[in-house]
Amino acid sequence: MNLTPVTIPKIVKTMFPDFIWDIKTREKTLYLTFDDGPTPEITEWVLDCLKKHDAKATFFCIGKNVKLFPEIYNRIIDEEHGVGNHTFNHLKGWKTKTPDYLYDAHNASVEIKSKLFRPPYGRIKPKQAKSLLKDNYKIIMWSILSLDWDKNISASKCYHNVVDKATSGSIIVFHDSKKASHNMMYALPKVLDYFSKKGYEFKRILE
Ligand SMILES: [Zn+2]
């Protein structure tokens, strides 16, 4: 399964009906998500930017980073954004034995109090997913990848990946990481402007 395209082919969504690929809504609502933080300066920049636009988002944090930067994590919570578990060590599910994967996710859950889970790289073995679902986790995938981390795409392309494809209920992936910051910092304010002017609201994903 190749998850690098900007949008997810219908067939993939049908193959994994237990995963959440978008949020059904009649309202003009979009769901921004940020993976891989908290990262000093970058996460704070994102929080400032969201505040300016009165937007809420969901941060899929890496447990290790929450442990390193609890004050940034607490700011995310204080400003009423959502948080989710993105494992403790950002593990690749396909390359990790299931007990090790679950142990790592559990370690992250000590830091991150949330029943939302996003597998790093979107790669998770059916057994791993099954166990998390049984444990009442919601596995949050996405509708749109901005591809902000990809050094081969321009900042403008990253912006267009989002505004050309997002519709009501879309779950959009950005990263509050160093690697993605160049494209993300260009695209995010423009995405917020573009959709706010069209009457969209940005909300957090509920558990
Ligand atoms: Zn990640």
Side-chain angles (χ1 to χ4, degrees):
M1 177 170 73
N2 183 358
L3 284 179
T4 320
V6 173
T7 52
I8 302 295
K10 222 179 192 150
I11 177 82
V12 176
K13 296 186 195 178
T14 322
M15 279 163 67
F16 299 96
D18 294 334
F19 297 176
I20 293 168
W21 301 93
D22 46 41
I23 312 277
K24 303 279 169 268
T25 174
R26 286 162 185 265
E27 278 152 32
K28 285 181 149 183
T29 306
L30 293 169
Y31 297 88
L32 295 173
T33 64
F34 296 87
D35 291 3
D36 297 357
T39 310
E41 290 174 34
I42 294 163
T43 305
E44 289 146 319
W45 184 93
V46 169
L47 289 169
D48 289 343
C49 189
L50 293 172
K51 195 183 272 177
K52 228 179 273 170
H53 289 84
D54 203 16
K56 298 296 176 203
T58 307
F59 291 77
F60 288 91
C61 299
I62 297 174
K64 191 171 63 179
N65 290 350
V66 173
K67 209 163 185 177
L68 283 169
F69 308 111
E71 66 293 343
I72 308 176
Y73 178 77
N74 288 336
R75 190 181 152 194
I76 296 172
I77 306 275
D78 287 347
E79 296 185 7
E80 296 174 344
H81 299 288
V83 289
N85 185 324
H86 198 46
T87 75
F88 195 87
N89 287 300
H90 205 256
L91 296 185
K92 252 186 196 133
W94 292 357
K95 293 198 171 165
T96 310
K97 285 186 181 141
T98 296
D100 296 345
Y101 192 81
L102 297 173
Y103 178 76
D104 198 79
H106 174 76
N107 270 350
S109 79
V110 175
E111 309 297 330
I112 303 155
K113 300 289 173 218
S114 171
K115 281 290 180 189
L116 305 179
F117 182 87
R118 174 174 283 159
Y121 313 98
R123 289 174 180 179
I124 183 164
K125 289 179 188 168
K127 256 192 186 168
Q128 296 163 349
K130 215 174 148 188
S131 177
L132 290 168
L133 290 165
K134 217 176 129 194
D135 212 7
N136 293 322
Y137 279 96
K138 281 189 190 171
I139 299 184
I140 310 295
M141 303 301 270
W142 56 81
S143 328
I144 293 164
L145 291 174
S146 67
L147 301 179
D148 52 356
W149 75 88
D150 188 340
K151 296 271 182 264
N152 295 315
I153 72 158
S154 67
S156 155
K157 176 77 172 81
C158 172
Y159 163 69
H160 278 285
N161 284 343
V162 178
V163 295
D164 294 353
K165 306 276 186 198
T167 55
S168 284
S170 289
I171 300 172
I172 300 161
V173 180
F174 282 108
H175 292 77
D176 50 336
S177 68
K178 279 222 163 68
K179 195 177 163 192
S181 60
H182 174 75
N183 285 351
M184 183 276 291
M185 286 176 163
Y186 173 88
L188 179 63
K190 287 188 163 42
V191 166
L192 288 162
D193 278 338
Y194 179 90
F195 285 108
S196 297
K197 280 192 187 120
K198 286 182 172 283
Y200 281 82
E201 276 191 285
F202 296 88
K203 293 188 182 168
R204 57 185 275 187
I205 299 169
L206 298 175
E207 283 181 48

